Amino acid sequence: MVAATPLNDGWHLARAAPGSHPAPPRDDQLDWLPAIVPGTVAGALRAAGVAAPDDLDAHDWWYRTHFTASSAADGEQVRLLFEGLATVAEVYLNGVLVLKSDSMFTAHAVDAREHLTTDNELTICFRALLPLLGVPRRPRARWRTRLVAHGTLRFYRTALLGRAPGFAPGPAIVGPWRSVTIRRCAAPMLDHLALEARLIDGIGHLRVAATIGGLRAGTEVRLLASVLGPGQQTPLTLTEVVGADRTCHVVRGDLAVSDVQPWWPHPYGDPTRYRIRVTVCVDGDTVACEDRSVGFRAVTNEGDLDRDGLALRINDVAVFARGAVWTPLDLTAPHADHDTLRRVLERVRDAGMNMLRVPGISVYESDEFYDLCDELGILVWQDFMFANMDYPDSDEQFMGTVRTEVRQLLDRVGWRPSLVVLCGGSEVAQQASMQGRDPALHASALYGDLLPTLIREAGTAATYVPSAPWGGDVAFRPDRGVANYYGVGAYLRPLEDARRANVKFAAECLAFSNVPDSHPGESVDARGFGPQHPNWKAGVPRDVGAGWDFEDVRDHYLHLLYGIDPIRLRSSDVDRYLTLSRLTSGEVMAEVFGEWRRAGSQCTGGLVLWLTDLQAGAGWGVLDHRGRPKLAFHLLRRALAPVAVWSIDEGLGGIVVHVANDRPQSLSAQLRIALYRDGELCVAEETIAIVLGAHENCEHNVEEVLGRFVDVSWAYRFGPPAQDLVVLSLERSHETETELLSQAFRFPIGRPSGVESARRLGVTARTCRGPDGKWSVRAFASRLVHGCRILIPGFEPADDGFSLEPGHRRDVALLRVGDAAEPSGGELTAANLAGPVAITSEPVA
C-alpha cells in the first residue's frame, strides 16, 4: 500500500548572488527567512514583510527543510515527489545532488532509498534565470515578440505571466510552487491509472488501463472496476494483459454502462458524474484501490475548424460557449486552495458562464480546479504552455521535456468531462503571420506532429486547435476559424463591427480596463489613490511599445455611449467619471454578446480577457484581484444568463427582441414590451406569450408585436422621437405576483447623460425580509433610473448596475458576505441620480 506525507513544514528561504554557492550553503553563509511550501519566493517575502527585489530572476534562491524518516524495508520504494519547481532547479538530499530540472511544468519522482537517513536535510536551489537568458543558444528564432523582454525564454519551460511587462510585469513565479511529498510504497504497487469515458449512442463506455509495478515473476494480476453512481453498482473484472515483463504488468479493459445520465455543461443540463472504483489484486490480495469521478458525454466540433471555427456539440446539442480567460488567482500563490477556487468558480457558473480558457502564458491548473469544473459543469479550453515565441522544436532535449510535460498533463486531465479543447498555444501563429513568416504551424514538429500525436495516444476526446487565433490566410482574420477579436475594444471599432466582423468563435475578446469598486477603508483600487494619482496607471494594462493603454480604449467607448468628453469629466468630476467608466465596459460587453448570441448569428461563443485581475487596479478582469465582482461582471452576467431577453437595434429594420432558453426544461413566459417618452410617460405597451423548448431561442420585432409602425429606433426621423426608452421584460405569472426572469433596456436617442435629484426621479428603496428569512432590497422610481448600485455593508446584491423601469418596483436579493446579521445603513446610487438615496426599512409609498 501507499503512504504519502507532504513535506510542508519547517522550510526556510535565502537569497544568494547567482552561482555564488555551487553546493548547499552553511547556516551562517546566508540570511534565512521562514518559507511557505507549496509557495513562491514572492509569497514568502510578502509573508515575512520583506520587500521583494525588482527582478526575482536575477538571484539564486535556496530553500531547505529537515524531516525524519525510517529506513526503507526490503522491496519498499521511497520516493520524493516534486509536483512543480520553478524553474531551473537543483535538489539535494543530505548534500547529494539527486535532481536537476529546467521546467516548472514537469513533475519529478526521485528514488530516495540510497540517501535516506533518520534525520534528513532537503535543499532546493532555484538558479537565477536572468544570467541564463543572456547566453546565446541555437537555433535562432525566426521571429521576435514584445510580449517578454528576453526572447531566450523560449528555451525554458516557465510561465510568461510575471515576465510580461505590459500586463503582468511581476512577480515572476519562482520556487516550489506545487507540493513536495515523500511517498513510501510496498511492492507490488499501482504505478499509473488511466481512464477514458465516452457516451456513444446513449451507452457509457469506460476504458481502464493500469500499470502495476514491483511484481515477481509468475504473479497473477487482476483489475476490478466498479461504477458507482445514480442507481449504479456494477462490478466488472478486466483481465486483458496488454504488456508484461518480470516486474511490470499493463492491464486494461473496456466496460459498457447502460442507462447512464450524460454529463452536461452549465446550463444545458446536469453535470452528472459517476464514481469509478478501481481495485488491483495480485495473487488474490488487494494491493491498491483508487476512486475517480468521471462523466459520460459525447463532444464533437461541427464543420471545418480552419473555416468555421469552434462549434461544439455536447451530447448532440449545439452549445454557445461563453466565459473568460483564466489566470492564477494570485501569482505569489498560484496553487490556490480548494475553498478559494470553489468561491470563484461558483461565481463563474452563477454568471451564466460555461467555459474557461487556461492560456499559454500561464500555468497548468491544479487537480482541484478540474474537479470543480467537472462538478459545476464548466467547460475547459486548455492551452499548452506556449505563447507568441518561436519555440525550438528542432532541439531534441527541449522536445523531450515537452513530451514528458504533455503526457503528465493528459494523464491528469485528459479523461475529465470538462476538458473539450486542447490548444497548441496563444498567438504563436498570429505572431508569425504579423511578422510576415509562414503561419503553417499545422505542419510543424511541435504543433503539427508532437502535440496531436500525444493527444491521440492518450485517447483524449477534445478538439485540437494548433494555435489561437487560428484559420484563414494569415491566422488572425476574425471571420475565419478561431479569432482573437478586439475590433470592438483595442481597435476602437463601432459596436456594429461585432456583426460586420462575422466572428465564428472568439478565444479572446473585449479587453477593457475595468474599474473595480471601492470598499470601506480602501481607495478605488486598494492602492491608496484614484485616477487622479500618477500611480493609477500601474494597474492599467497596455501593449508594450504602444502609445495608448486600455483605459484609453474604455474612454473611447464612454464618449461613444454617453456623448461626454472623458478627459474633461475626469478633470472636473472624478466620481462621476468612475461611475460611467464602470458602466461603460460592461455595457459594451453586453452589446457584443447580444449580437453574437442572437438567432441567426454564426458565432458559437466568446471568452472575455480575462476573469480576474492579477494585481490591484483597473485591469482586464471582470473580478478584481480579490475575486470580488466589478460592475462589468454583473452586466455581463445578465447578457450570458441561461434565460435572457435582450434587443438589437437593426436601424431601419427597427428593434428586434431576442429571447434565449438554454436550460434543459421548456420555458413558458410572457414578453412585455413598454415604450416611454421623457423617461416617464408610457406611450405603448404590449404583452405576448413566449413558449420555448429546451435549448431554444426566438426573436420578435417590437413593431410587429405592437401591431403598428412607431419608428421605435428613431431611424427614419420623420419628426421628434416618439419614445426615448424601450423596456423589455420576460416575466412569469404566479398566483399572487409576477416573477421577473430577465429585463433589458434600449435607448433609441442615447443613454441619459445628465443627473437629476432623487425627488425628481421619485426614487425610494427599502430592505425586505422574505418568508424564507432571506433579505432583499425593493427599489422603485417614477422615472427612469439608469445603472443602479446597491451598497450595504456586509452584503452584496445578486444583481447590480440595473435600471429601474418607470412606475415599476424591482426586488434585488442580498447575499451576506460579512458578519452582519441584517442589512442596515445602505444606499442606492445611479448614473443619472444626483447623490445617493438612503435604503430604509420603511414601506415604499
Side-chain angles (χ1 to χ4, degrees), residues 485 487-489 492-503 510 556-557 560-561 588 591-593 595-596 598 648-652 713 717 746 748 751:
Y485 177 70
V488 175
L492 308 182
R493 305 292 296 171
L495 298 183
E496 294 81 3
D497 190 71
R499 179 180 299 187
R500 186 180 301 125
N502 197 22
V503 173
L510 300 173
H556 169 84
Y557 288 96
L560 182 70
L561 296 187
V588 172
E591 286 288 327
V592 171
F593 270 100
E595 177 60 54
W596 288 347
R598 66 180 172 83
I648 294 178
D649 187 342
E650 299 287 359
L652 297 180
S713 59
R717 304 196 179 194
R746 184 152 295 277
R751 290 164 173 76

Side-chain angles (χ1 to χ4, degrees), residues 373-530:
C373 288
D374 289 347
E375 175 190 336
L376 300 173
I378 299 172
L379 300 171
V380 177
W381 167 313
Q382 175 67 66
D383 279 13
F384 297 107
M385 293 300 124
F386 302 98
N388 294 74
M389 295 185 288
D390 179 22
Y391 291 90
D393 57 8
S394 62
D395 185 315
E396 292 184 5
Q397 181 179 348
F398 177 87
M399 293 292 276
T401 300
V402 171
R403 186 176 291 106
T404 301
E405 167 190 323
V406 172
R407 282 176 173 162
Q408 289 181 352
L409 174 71
L410 296 179
D411 282 347
R412 281 203 304 121
V413 308
W415 50 273
R416 294 182 176 276
S418 58
L419 180 68
V420 292
V421 178
L422 286 164
C423 179
S426 172
E427 296 188 348
V428 178
Q430 172 177 290
Q431 194 79 61
S433 296
M434 285 190 165
Q435 297 192 28
R437 301 296 181 179
D438 181 6
L441 297 178
H442 59 276
S444 72
L446 177 56
Y447 306 101
D449 184 10
L450 180 63
L451 296 180
T453 297
L454 295 176
I455 293 169
R456 286 193 301 270
E457 290 177 353
T460 302
T463 296
Y464 175 64
V465 180
S467 181
W470 183 258
D473 57 329
V474 290
F476 54 84
R477 302 296 190 204
D479 62 343
R480 296 286 189 275
V482 173
N484 284 7
Y485 177 70
Y486 295 114
V488 175
Y491 302 132
L492 308 182
R493 305 292 296 171
L495 298 183
E496 294 81 3
D497 190 71
R499 179 180 299 187
R500 186 180 301 125
N502 197 22
V503 173
K504 302 301 191 299
F505 187 93
E508 296 177 10
C509 62
L510 300 173
F512 288 93
S513 173
N514 296 305
V515 178
D517 282 332
S518 58
H519 294 271
E522 297 181 1
S523 68
V524 170
D525 75 339
R527 288 175 175 269
F529 51 81

Side-chain angles (χ1 to χ4, degrees), residues 75 82 236 256 262 295 376 464 537 619 680 704 723 763 779 793:
F82 301 92
L236 296 164
L376 300 173
Y464 175 64
K537 287 292 187 180
E680 179 178 23
E704 179 184 2
Q723 56 278 320
V763 185

Side-chain angles (χ1 to χ4, degrees), residues 264 298 300 302 313-318:
W264 289 93
T300 56
E302 284 192 306
R313 294 186 72 87
I314 309 290
N315 306 325
D316 206 31
V317 171

